[in-house]
Amino acid sequence: MRFSRAVWYVPLVLALVTGLGLVLALLLDGPVGDICGIVGLGVPCGVICRCLLRATR
Amino acid sequence: MTSRALRRWRWLHKWSSVVCTLFLLVLCLTGLPLIFSAEIDDLLDPPPAAPVAARAMAAHVDETVRQAYHAWPGQRVRLAVFDADSARVVLHLSPHADDDFDRMHELAFDARTGALLRDGAPAGDAVMDTILQLHVRLFAGLPGELFLGVMGLVFVAAIVSGVALYAPFMRRLRFGDIRWRRSGRLRWLDLHNFLGIVTACWVLIVALTGFMNTLATPLFGLWQIRDVAPVLRPFAHDAPVIPATPLSAAMRAAEEAVPGMTTRFVTFPSHRNGSPDHYVVWTQGRSKLLSRFMTPVLVDATSGRIMFVGKMPWYLRFLEICRPLHFGDYGGLGLKCLWGVLDLATMVVLGSGLYLLLSRPRHPARLPDAGAHGLLEEEAA
Protein backbone atom coordinates (compact mmCIF):
# COMPACT_ATOMS: atom_id res chain seq x y z
CA MET A 1 0.00 0.00 0.00
CA ARG A 2 1.54 3.32 -1.04
CA PHE A 3 0.51 6.72 0.27
CA SER A 4 1.11 10.20 -1.02
CA ARG A 5 3.67 12.16 0.94
CA ALA A 6 1.32 15.13 0.83
CA VAL A 7 -0.74 13.58 3.59
CA TRP A 8 2.12 14.34 5.99
CA TYR A 9 2.80 17.98 5.05
CA VAL A 10 0.26 19.69 7.33
CA PRO A 11 0.84 17.37 10.34
CA LEU A 12 4.61 17.88 10.03
CA VAL A 13 4.29 21.66 9.90
CA LEU A 14 1.93 21.59 12.89
CA ALA A 15 4.31 19.39 14.89
CA LEU A 16 7.23 21.67 14.04
CA VAL A 17 5.35 24.83 15.05
CA THR A 18 4.14 23.23 18.30
CA GLY A 19 7.53 21.83 19.32
CA LEU A 20 9.46 24.97 18.40
CA GLY A 21 6.92 27.26 20.07
CA LEU A 22 6.99 25.35 23.34
CA VAL A 23 10.78 25.17 23.49
CA LEU A 24 11.28 28.85 22.57
CA ALA A 25 8.67 29.84 25.17
CA LEU A 26 10.81 28.11 27.77
CA LEU A 27 14.10 29.56 26.55
CA LEU A 28 13.07 33.18 25.95
CA ASP A 29 12.19 35.50 28.80
CA GLY A 30 9.45 38.11 28.80
CA PRO A 31 6.60 38.65 26.38
CA VAL A 32 8.58 37.30 23.40
CA GLY A 33 8.70 33.87 25.04
CA ASP A 34 5.03 34.06 25.97
CA ILE A 35 4.11 34.91 22.38
CA CYS A 36 6.17 31.96 21.08
CA GLY A 37 4.21 29.65 23.39
CA ILE A 38 0.88 31.11 22.32
CA VAL A 39 1.81 30.74 18.63
CA GLY A 40 3.06 27.18 19.25
CA LEU A 41 -0.21 26.01 20.74
CA GLY A 42 -2.45 28.62 19.12
CA VAL A 43 -1.77 27.30 15.61
CA PRO A 44 -3.02 23.73 16.32
CA CYS A 45 -5.96 25.13 18.30
CA GLY A 46 -6.78 27.46 15.38
CA VAL A 47 -6.56 24.58 12.91
CA ILE A 48 -8.95 22.54 15.08
CA CYS A 49 -11.45 25.41 15.23
CA ARG A 50 -11.23 26.13 11.51
CA CYS A 51 -11.64 22.52 10.39
CA LEU A 52 -14.50 21.85 12.84
CA LEU A 53 -16.31 24.98 11.68
CA ARG A 54 -15.75 24.05 8.02
CA ALA A 55 -17.02 20.53 8.63
CA THR A 56 -20.17 21.56 10.48
CA ARG A 57 -21.14 24.26 7.98
CA MET B 1 3.21 0.09 4.16
CA THR B 2 2.60 -3.63 3.69
CA SER B 3 -0.62 -5.29 4.86
CA ARG B 4 1.35 -7.12 7.51
CA ALA B 5 2.90 -3.93 8.85
CA LEU B 6 -0.50 -2.27 8.87
CA ARG B 7 -1.95 -5.18 10.85
CA ARG B 8 0.87 -4.90 13.37
CA TRP B 9 0.44 -1.16 13.84
CA ARG B 10 -3.30 -1.64 14.28
CA TRP B 11 -2.73 -4.36 16.85
CA LEU B 12 -0.28 -2.14 18.76
CA HIS B 13 -2.58 0.89 18.60
CA LYS B 14 -5.62 -1.08 19.70
CA TRP B 15 -4.07 -2.84 22.68
CA SER B 16 -1.89 0.01 23.91
CA SER B 17 -5.00 2.22 23.84
CA VAL B 18 -7.13 -0.41 25.60
CA VAL B 19 -4.57 -0.60 28.41
CA CYS B 20 -4.09 3.11 29.05
CA THR B 21 -7.26 4.96 27.92
CA LEU B 22 -9.18 4.94 31.22
CA PHE B 23 -6.13 6.05 33.20
CA LEU B 24 -5.39 8.74 30.62
CA LEU B 25 -8.95 10.02 30.88
CA VAL B 26 -8.48 10.33 34.65
CA LEU B 27 -5.17 12.16 34.09
CA CYS B 28 -6.68 14.55 31.52
CA LEU B 29 -9.68 15.24 33.76
CA THR B 30 -7.60 15.88 36.89
CA GLY B 31 -4.93 17.71 34.88
CA LEU B 32 -7.39 20.36 33.71
CA PRO B 33 -7.87 22.09 37.11
CA LEU B 34 -4.17 21.55 37.89
CA ILE B 35 -3.20 23.65 34.83
CA PHE B 36 -4.96 26.58 36.52
CA SER B 37 -3.95 25.69 40.08
CA ALA B 38 -2.12 29.02 40.63
CA GLU B 39 -5.18 30.99 39.47
CA ILE B 40 -7.53 28.83 41.57
CA ASP B 41 -5.26 29.30 44.61
CA ASP B 42 -5.25 33.07 44.10
CA LEU B 43 -9.04 33.04 43.77
CA LEU B 44 -9.56 31.05 46.97
CA ASP B 45 -6.82 32.84 48.89
CA PRO B 46 -6.25 36.27 47.28
CA PRO B 47 -2.65 37.50 47.55
CA PRO B 48 -2.19 40.52 49.83
CA ALA B 49 -0.37 42.65 47.28
CA ALA B 50 1.27 42.85 43.91
CA PRO B 51 4.41 40.71 43.36
CA VAL B 52 7.51 41.81 45.25
CA ALA B 53 11.15 41.51 44.21
CA ALA B 54 12.66 38.16 45.18
CA ARG B 55 15.40 39.92 47.18
CA ALA B 56 12.80 41.74 49.31
CA MET B 57 11.31 38.45 50.52
CA ALA B 58 13.83 38.12 53.37
CA ALA B 59 13.08 41.56 54.86
CA HIS B 60 10.64 40.35 57.56
CA VAL B 61 11.37 36.64 57.53
CA ASP B 62 12.87 36.47 61.04
CA GLU B 63 9.85 38.28 62.41
CA THR B 64 7.53 35.71 60.77
CA VAL B 65 9.49 32.85 62.37
CA ARG B 66 9.22 34.60 65.79
CA GLN B 67 5.48 35.02 65.31
CA ALA B 68 5.09 31.36 64.35
CA TYR B 69 6.90 30.19 67.53
CA HIS B 70 4.78 32.60 69.57
CA ALA B 71 1.52 31.35 68.02
CA TRP B 72 2.47 27.68 68.36
CA PRO B 73 4.78 27.36 71.40
CA GLY B 74 6.71 24.10 71.54
CA GLN B 75 6.30 23.41 67.81
CA ARG B 76 9.10 23.40 65.26
CA VAL B 77 9.24 25.32 62.00
CA ARG B 78 9.97 22.75 59.30
CA LEU B 79 9.75 24.61 56.04
CA ALA B 80 9.68 28.23 54.83
CA VAL B 81 8.35 28.83 51.30
CA PHE B 82 8.85 32.18 49.55
CA ASP B 83 6.37 33.18 46.87
CA ALA B 84 7.42 36.52 45.39
CA ASP B 85 4.53 36.48 42.89
CA SER B 86 1.91 36.58 45.66
CA ALA B 87 4.14 38.47 48.16
CA ARG B 88 3.73 35.71 50.74
CA VAL B 89 5.97 33.81 53.11
CA VAL B 90 4.44 30.48 54.15
CA LEU B 91 5.82 28.65 57.18
CA HIS B 92 5.03 24.99 57.86
CA LEU B 93 5.16 23.76 61.46
CA SER B 94 4.86 20.38 63.14
CA PRO B 95 4.98 19.20 66.79
CA HIS B 96 8.42 17.59 66.31
CA ALA B 97 11.33 18.20 63.93
CA ASP B 98 11.14 14.73 62.39
CA ASP B 99 7.35 14.39 61.99
CA ASP B 100 5.84 13.26 58.70
CA PHE B 101 5.04 16.03 56.26
CA ASP B 102 1.32 15.23 56.53
CA ARG B 103 1.41 16.32 60.19
CA MET B 104 2.47 19.85 59.27
CA HIS B 105 0.20 22.87 59.25
CA GLU B 106 0.89 26.23 57.67
CA LEU B 107 0.90 29.92 58.49
CA ALA B 108 0.97 32.56 55.75
CA PHE B 109 2.54 36.01 56.21
CA ASP B 110 2.63 39.18 54.15
CA ALA B 111 6.19 39.37 52.79
CA ARG B 112 6.18 43.21 52.78
CA THR B 113 5.09 43.73 56.39
CA GLY B 114 5.53 40.36 58.15
CA ALA B 115 1.85 40.45 59.21
CA LEU B 116 0.09 37.12 59.75
CA LEU B 117 -2.44 36.57 56.96
CA ARG B 118 -3.87 33.21 57.96
CA ASP B 119 -3.24 30.31 60.31
CA GLY B 120 -4.11 27.05 58.59
CA ALA B 121 -4.52 25.84 55.02
CA PRO B 122 -6.39 28.09 52.58
CA ALA B 123 -9.97 27.26 51.63
CA GLY B 124 -10.20 24.68 48.87
CA ASP B 125 -6.66 23.43 49.51
CA ALA B 126 -7.90 19.95 50.41
CA VAL B 127 -9.84 19.69 47.12
CA MET B 128 -6.84 20.71 45.00
CA ASP B 129 -4.58 18.42 47.03
CA THR B 130 -6.95 15.49 46.46
CA ILE B 131 -6.96 16.19 42.71
CA LEU B 132 -3.16 16.40 42.74
CA GLN B 133 -2.80 13.12 44.66
CA LEU B 134 -5.11 11.40 42.17
CA HIS B 135 -3.24 12.87 39.19
CA VAL B 136 0.25 12.12 40.48
CA ARG B 137 -0.10 8.77 42.25
CA LEU B 138 -3.73 7.53 42.13
CA PHE B 139 -3.74 7.67 45.97
CA ALA B 140 -1.26 4.77 45.91
CA GLY B 141 2.05 6.36 46.88
CA LEU B 142 5.21 5.51 44.98
CA PRO B 143 3.72 2.34 43.36
CA GLY B 144 0.92 4.53 42.00
CA GLU B 145 3.47 7.00 40.61
CA LEU B 146 5.48 4.27 38.91
CA PHE B 147 2.33 2.62 37.57
CA LEU B 148 1.32 5.91 35.96
CA GLY B 149 4.84 6.10 34.49
CA VAL B 150 4.28 2.72 32.83
CA MET B 151 0.88 3.95 31.58
CA GLY B 152 2.69 7.01 30.17
CA LEU B 153 5.02 4.75 28.17
CA VAL B 154 2.08 2.66 26.92
CA PHE B 155 0.39 5.92 25.90
CA VAL B 156 3.52 6.91 23.93
CA ALA B 157 3.24 3.57 22.08
CA ALA B 158 -0.44 4.37 21.34
CA ILE B 159 0.49 7.84 20.01
CA VAL B 160 3.32 6.57 17.79
CA SER B 161 1.21 3.72 16.39
CA GLY B 162 -1.68 6.15 15.90
CA VAL B 163 0.57 8.47 13.87
CA ALA B 164 1.78 5.49 11.81
CA LEU B 165 -1.84 4.59 11.03
CA TYR B 166 -2.78 8.15 10.08
CA ALA B 167 -1.74 7.93 6.41
CA PRO B 168 -3.66 4.71 5.56
CA PHE B 169 -6.83 6.16 7.05
CA MET B 170 -6.44 9.55 5.37
CA ARG B 171 -5.57 8.39 1.87
CA ARG B 172 -8.91 9.50 0.35
CA LEU B 173 -9.55 12.55 2.48
CA ARG B 174 -8.22 16.07 2.57
CA PHE B 175 -6.56 17.18 5.79
CA GLY B 176 -9.23 18.03 8.36
CA ASP B 177 -12.14 16.46 6.46
CA ILE B 178 -14.82 15.11 8.79
CA ARG B 179 -17.74 13.29 7.22
CA TRP B 180 -20.55 14.58 9.40
CA ARG B 181 -23.32 13.22 7.16
CA ARG B 182 -22.04 9.62 7.15
CA SER B 183 -22.48 7.02 9.89
CA GLY B 184 -21.71 7.92 13.49
CA ARG B 185 -18.75 5.55 13.46
CA LEU B 186 -17.13 7.23 10.44
CA ARG B 187 -17.78 10.66 11.92
CA TRP B 188 -16.03 9.72 15.15
CA LEU B 189 -13.23 7.96 13.25
CA ASP B 190 -12.53 11.15 11.27
CA LEU B 191 -12.69 13.27 14.41
CA HIS B 192 -10.37 10.84 16.22
CA ASN B 193 -7.84 10.91 13.38
CA PHE B 194 -8.01 14.67 12.90
CA LEU B 195 -7.74 15.69 16.56
CA GLY B 196 -5.19 12.95 17.19
CA ILE B 197 -2.78 14.13 14.48
CA VAL B 198 -3.17 17.86 15.27
CA THR B 199 -2.47 17.34 18.97
CA ALA B 200 0.12 14.55 18.47
CA CYS B 201 3.24 16.64 19.08
CA TRP B 202 1.85 18.33 22.21
CA VAL B 203 0.47 15.07 23.59
CA LEU B 204 3.78 13.32 22.95
CA ILE B 205 5.67 16.06 24.82
CA VAL B 206 3.22 15.97 27.76
CA ALA B 207 3.29 12.14 27.89
CA LEU B 208 7.09 11.88 27.81
CA THR B 209 7.61 14.67 30.35
CA GLY B 210 4.87 13.13 32.52
CA PHE B 211 6.74 9.84 32.40
CA MET B 212 9.91 11.66 33.51
CA ASN B 213 7.98 13.26 36.39
CA THR B 214 6.92 9.84 37.66
CA LEU B 215 10.62 9.05 38.09
CA ALA B 216 11.19 12.11 40.30
CA THR B 217 11.05 10.23 43.61
CA PRO B 218 13.50 7.46 42.63
CA LEU B 219 15.84 9.93 40.89
CA PHE B 220 15.96 12.27 43.92
CA GLY B 221 16.47 9.19 46.09
CA LEU B 222 19.39 8.11 43.91
CA TRP B 223 20.96 11.56 44.17
CA GLN B 224 20.52 11.61 47.95
CA ILE B 225 22.14 8.20 48.32
CA ARG B 226 25.03 8.90 45.95
CA ASP B 227 25.84 12.57 46.57
CA VAL B 228 24.12 13.85 49.73
CA ALA B 229 24.28 10.93 52.17
CA PRO B 230 28.12 10.88 52.34
CA VAL B 231 28.14 14.61 53.21
CA LEU B 232 25.49 14.20 55.94
CA ARG B 233 26.82 10.94 57.40
CA PRO B 234 28.79 12.63 60.27
CA PHE B 235 25.55 14.29 61.46
CA ALA B 236 23.24 11.29 61.05
CA HIS B 237 22.94 10.59 64.80
CA ASP B 238 22.60 14.20 65.99
CA ALA B 239 19.29 15.42 67.36
CA PRO B 240 17.73 18.19 65.21
CA VAL B 241 19.01 21.51 66.58
CA ILE B 242 16.97 24.64 67.20
CA PRO B 243 18.65 27.15 64.84
CA ALA B 244 20.74 29.84 66.47
CA THR B 245 21.41 31.52 63.13
CA PRO B 246 18.49 33.66 61.94
CA LEU B 247 16.80 32.44 58.78
CA SER B 248 17.54 35.69 56.96
CA ALA B 249 21.27 35.29 57.66
CA ALA B 250 21.20 31.72 56.33
CA MET B 251 19.43 32.89 53.18
CA ARG B 252 21.94 35.71 52.68
CA ALA B 253 24.89 33.35 53.12
CA ALA B 254 23.42 30.86 50.66
CA GLU B 255 22.70 33.52 48.03
CA GLU B 256 26.28 34.79 48.34
CA ALA B 257 27.56 31.24 47.82
CA VAL B 258 25.59 30.83 44.58
CA PRO B 259 25.58 34.22 42.83
CA GLY B 260 22.59 34.93 40.60
CA MET B 261 20.30 32.65 42.57
CA THR B 262 17.47 33.54 44.96
CA THR B 263 15.91 31.51 47.76
CA ARG B 264 12.79 29.53 46.83
CA PHE B 265 12.31 27.58 50.06
CA VAL B 266 14.25 26.52 53.14
CA THR B 267 13.98 23.31 55.18
CA PHE B 268 14.82 23.64 58.87
CA PRO B 269 17.04 21.13 60.71
CA SER B 270 15.47 17.68 60.48
CA HIS B 271 16.37 14.13 59.53
CA ARG B 272 13.61 14.14 56.93
CA ASN B 273 14.89 15.40 53.56
CA GLY B 274 17.54 17.48 55.28
CA SER B 275 20.19 17.58 57.95
CA PRO B 276 19.65 17.76 61.76
CA ASP B 277 22.33 20.47 62.04
CA HIS B 278 21.70 22.58 58.94
CA TYR B 279 19.25 24.67 57.07
CA VAL B 280 18.86 23.47 53.50
CA VAL B 281 18.38 26.62 51.41
CA TRP B 282 16.95 25.73 48.00
CA THR B 283 17.86 28.44 45.51
CA GLN B 284 16.71 29.02 41.95
CA GLY B 285 17.92 31.09 39.00
CA ARG B 286 16.25 34.29 37.86
CA SER B 287 15.46 33.69 34.17
CA LYS B 288 12.46 31.64 33.03
CA LEU B 289 14.57 28.56 32.33
CA LEU B 290 17.02 28.93 35.22
CA SER B 291 14.19 29.49 37.70
CA ARG B 292 13.46 25.78 37.15
CA PHE B 293 16.98 24.79 38.15
CA MET B 294 17.24 24.34 41.90
CA THR B 295 20.54 24.35 43.79
CA PRO B 296 20.52 23.30 47.46
CA VAL B 297 22.92 24.99 49.90
CA LEU B 298 23.55 23.55 53.36
CA VAL B 299 24.02 26.30 55.96
CA ASP B 300 25.12 25.44 59.50
CA ALA B 301 22.13 26.34 61.71
CA THR B 302 24.42 27.21 64.63
CA SER B 303 27.35 29.07 63.07
CA GLY B 304 25.70 30.27 59.84
CA ARG B 305 28.63 28.96 57.75
CA ILE B 306 28.17 27.36 54.34
CA MET B 307 28.74 23.65 54.65
CA PHE B 308 27.91 22.27 51.20
CA VAL B 309 26.65 23.47 47.83
CA GLY B 310 24.83 20.66 46.05
CA LYS B 311 25.67 20.05 42.39
CA MET B 312 22.66 18.54 40.71
CA PRO B 313 23.41 15.61 38.38
CA TRP B 314 22.35 15.68 34.73
CA TYR B 315 19.33 13.44 35.24
CA LEU B 316 17.84 15.86 37.81
CA ARG B 317 18.56 18.83 35.53
CA PHE B 318 16.76 16.98 32.73
CA LEU B 319 13.84 16.33 35.09
CA GLU B 320 13.73 20.03 35.96
CA ILE B 321 13.50 20.94 32.25
CA CYS B 322 10.74 18.36 31.75
CA ARG B 323 8.53 19.77 34.51
CA PRO B 324 7.39 23.03 32.87
CA LEU B 325 6.84 21.18 29.58
CA HIS B 326 4.39 18.96 31.44
CA PHE B 327 2.71 21.64 33.57
CA GLY B 328 2.39 24.38 30.90
CA ASP B 329 2.94 27.04 33.56
CA TYR B 330 5.71 29.02 31.90
CA GLY B 331 3.95 31.21 29.34
CA GLY B 332 1.27 33.12 31.20
CA LEU B 333 -2.49 32.61 31.28
CA GLY B 334 -2.75 32.52 27.46
CA LEU B 335 -0.56 29.43 27.24
CA LYS B 336 -2.48 27.81 30.10
CA CYS B 337 -5.81 28.37 28.31
CA LEU B 338 -4.45 26.78 25.12
CA TRP B 339 -3.01 23.94 27.24
CA GLY B 340 -6.53 23.43 28.60
CA VAL B 341 -8.06 23.41 25.09
CA LEU B 342 -5.60 20.74 23.94
CA ASP B 343 -6.29 18.76 27.12
CA LEU B 344 -10.01 18.80 26.22
CA ALA B 345 -9.17 17.79 22.62
CA THR B 346 -7.15 14.86 23.99
CA MET B 347 -10.15 13.77 26.04
CA VAL B 348 -12.22 13.76 22.83
CA VAL B 349 -9.52 11.64 21.12
CA LEU B 350 -9.53 9.17 24.02
CA GLY B 351 -13.32 9.08 24.23
CA SER B 352 -13.75 8.64 20.48
CA GLY B 353 -11.14 5.87 20.51
CA LEU B 354 -13.13 4.11 23.21
CA TYR B 355 -16.33 4.56 21.21
CA LEU B 356 -14.68 3.18 18.04
CA LEU B 357 -13.49 0.15 19.97
CA LEU B 358 -16.83 -0.56 21.64
CA SER B 359 -18.90 0.07 18.51
CA ARG B 360 -17.00 -2.41 16.35
CA PRO B 361 -19.28 -4.81 14.42
CA ARG B 362 -19.82 -7.95 16.51
CA HIS B 363 -19.47 -10.30 13.54
CA PRO B 364 -16.63 -8.95 11.44
CA ALA B 365 -16.55 -12.14 9.34
CA ARG B 366 -19.82 -11.08 7.67
CA LEU B 367 -18.33 -7.85 6.39
CA PRO B 368 -17.35 -7.81 2.70
CA ASP B 369 -13.69 -7.63 3.65
CA ALA B 370 -12.89 -8.66 7.18
CA GLY B 371 -9.15 -8.94 6.64
CA ALA B 372 -6.40 -6.53 7.55
CA HIS B 373 -8.14 -3.70 5.78
CA GLY B 374 -11.60 -4.31 7.23
CA LEU B 375 -11.85 -0.90 8.89
CA LEU B 376 -10.19 0.80 5.95
CA GLU B 377 -12.73 -0.69 3.55
CA GLU B 378 -15.57 0.22 5.87
CA GLU B 379 -14.14 3.72 6.05
CA ALA B 380 -13.87 3.95 2.27
CA ALA B 381 -17.38 2.54 1.66
Side-chain angles (χ1 to χ4, degrees), chain B residues 256-271:
Chain B
E256 279 168 14
V258 280
M261 310 285 272
T262 55
T263 305
R264 180 74 185 89
F265 62 94
V266 180
T267 60
F268 280 57
S270 166
H271 286 101

Side-chain angles (χ1 to χ4, degrees), chain B residues 152-183:
Chain B
L153 282 186
V154 175
F155 186 42
V156 168
I159 298 165
V160 171
S161 55
V163 170
L165 288 171
Y166 175 74
F169 280 89
M170 293 302 291
R171 60 193 170 148
R172 293 178 190 173
L173 293 174
R174 282 185 310 156
F175 176 83
D177 272 354
I178 295 161
R179 291 163 291 182
W180 290 100
R181 291 186 178 81
R182 302 290 292 276
S183 70

Side-chain angles (χ1 to χ4, degrees), chain A residues 1 8 22 25 29 34 54-55, chain B residues 1 163 180 287-288 330 373:
Chain A
M1 211 183 293
W8 290 112
L22 290 181
D29 277 323
D34 292 356
R54 189 183 70 192
Chain B
M1 190 184 284
V163 170
W180 290 100
S287 72
K288 198 189 276 186
Y330 60 98
H373 310 307

Side-chain angles (χ1 to χ4, degrees), chain A residues 1 3 7-8 10-11 14-15 19 22 25-29 34 37-38 41-42 44-45 47-48 51-52 54-56, chain B residues 1 163 166-168 170 175-178 180 191 194-195 197-198 201-202 287-289 330-331 335 338-339 341-342 373:
Chain A
M1 211 183 293
F3 310 110
V7 80
W8 290 112
V10 182
L14 281 174
L22 290 181
L26 188 58
L27 294 177
L28 301 175
D29 277 323
D34 292 356
I38 286 171
L41 293 193
C45 286
V47 168
I48 290 173
C51 289
L52 289 182
R54 189 183 70 192
T56 49
Chain B
M1 190 184 284
V163 170
Y166 175 74
M170 293 302 291
F175 176 83
D177 272 354
I178 295 161
W180 290 100
L191 202 62
F194 168 61
L195 290 178
I197 200 71
V198 172
C201 181
W202 175 82
S287 72
K288 198 189 276 186
L289 180 65
Y330 60 98
L335 188 72
L338 293 169
W339 213 271
V341 170
L342 292 181
H373 310 307

Side-chain angles (χ1 to χ4, degrees), chain B residues 34 37 41 102 121 124-137 139:
Chain B
L34 291 176
S37 59
D41 288 348
D102 56 10
D125 193 50
V127 176
M128 289 305 285
D129 191 51
T130 304
I131 293 172
L132 182 69
Q133 293 301 320
L134 182 59
H135 186 83
V136 173
R137 49 186 73 97
F139 302 125

Side-chain angles (χ1 to χ4, degrees), chain B residues 47-52 85-87 110 112:
Chain B
V52 295
D85 288 340
S86 64
D110 189 329
R112 296 163 311 140

Side-chain angles (χ1 to χ4, degrees), chain B residues 316-339:
Chain B
L316 288 183
R317 288 289 182 231
F318 183 63
L319 175 69
E320 286 169 327
I321 292 177
C322 284
R323 281 181 162 162
L325 289 170
H326 186 75
F327 304 151
D329 60 350
Y330 60 98
L333 189 59
L335 188 72
K336 286 185 179 186
C337 290
L338 293 169
W339 213 271

